């Protein structure tokens, strides 16, 4: 099971590269770098929850890249579902979530933490998309 989780993480790394505009070489390089990393090789050889933690982090990164590149706002539901399942696995997903919230706040200088919590991710994305038109 852990090897399948790492294989899915490698596939998602290629999908993230494609979502960022990379061609076939970029997708292959992202997958190769992810799959041959010593952490991935060690986690894929023994059954532990850590292999699935990497899978959920990669899934959240892929969804976030798709949302921020102009995807549907309904992807926030998929983001929440993936984060919820990841939290059922390990609570270290909270570190990624905290980092993403801080990054979104810092990227938007006109919105503070209180406004981010009041607006929610769906509303924040809508304001961002309208501002760049």
């Amino acid at each position: 099971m852990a090897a399948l989780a790492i294989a899915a993480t490698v596939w998602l790394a290629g999908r993230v590269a494609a979502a960022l505009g990379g061609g076939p070489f970029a997708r292959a390089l992202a997958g190769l770098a992810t799959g041959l990393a010593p952490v991935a090789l060690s986690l894929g050889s023994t059954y532990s929850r850590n292999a699935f933690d990497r899978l959920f982090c990669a899934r959240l990164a892929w969804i976030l890249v798709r949302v921020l590149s102009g995807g549907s706002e309904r992807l926030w539901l998929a983001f929440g579902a993936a984060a919820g399942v990841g939290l059922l696995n390990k609570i270290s997903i909270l570190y990624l979530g905290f980092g993403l919230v801080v990054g979104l706040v810092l990227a938007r200088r006109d919105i503070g933490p209180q406004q981010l919590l009041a607006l929610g991710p769906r509303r924040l994305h809508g304001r961002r998309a309208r501002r760049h038109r």
Side-chain angles (χ1 to χ4, degrees):
M1 290 295 289
L4 292 176
I6 295 298
T9 303
V10 168
W11 180 76
L12 280 171
R15 299 292 295 175
V16 168
L20 291 173
F25 180 74
R27 291 191 301 261
L29 184 63
L32 189 66
T34 303
L36 292 181
V39 172
L41 293 174
S42 65
L43 289 178
S45 63
T46 59
Y47 181 75
S48 71
R49 295 184 306 176
N50 296 330
F52 296 98
D53 190 39
R54 289 179 55 94
L55 175 63
F56 292 124
C57 286
R59 175 81 172 161
L60 291 174
W62 179 54
I63 294 171
L64 186 68
V65 165
R66 289 182 56 199
V67 167
L68 294 179
S69 65
S72 171
E73 289 183 358
R74 299 187 82 196
L75 287 172
W76 283 115
L77 295 173
F79 185 88
V85 174
L87 279 172
L88 290 174
N89 181 47
K90 284 181 71 176
I91 62 167
S92 61
I93 295 291
L94 288 176
Y95 300 130
L96 176 66
F98 178 73
L100 292 176
V101 168
V102 169
L104 286 173
V105 167
L106 291 177
R108 295 289 312 259
R109 299 279 183 196
D110 58 333
I111 292 182
Q114 291 83 15
Q115 289 86 3
L116 180 68
L117 292 175
L119 293 175
R122 179 174 168 252
R123 182 96 166 122
L124 174 69
H125 177 67
R127 282 188 60 191
R128 183 180 190 132
R130 278 183 262 141
R131 192 176 90 183
H132 290 290
R133 287 184 183 167

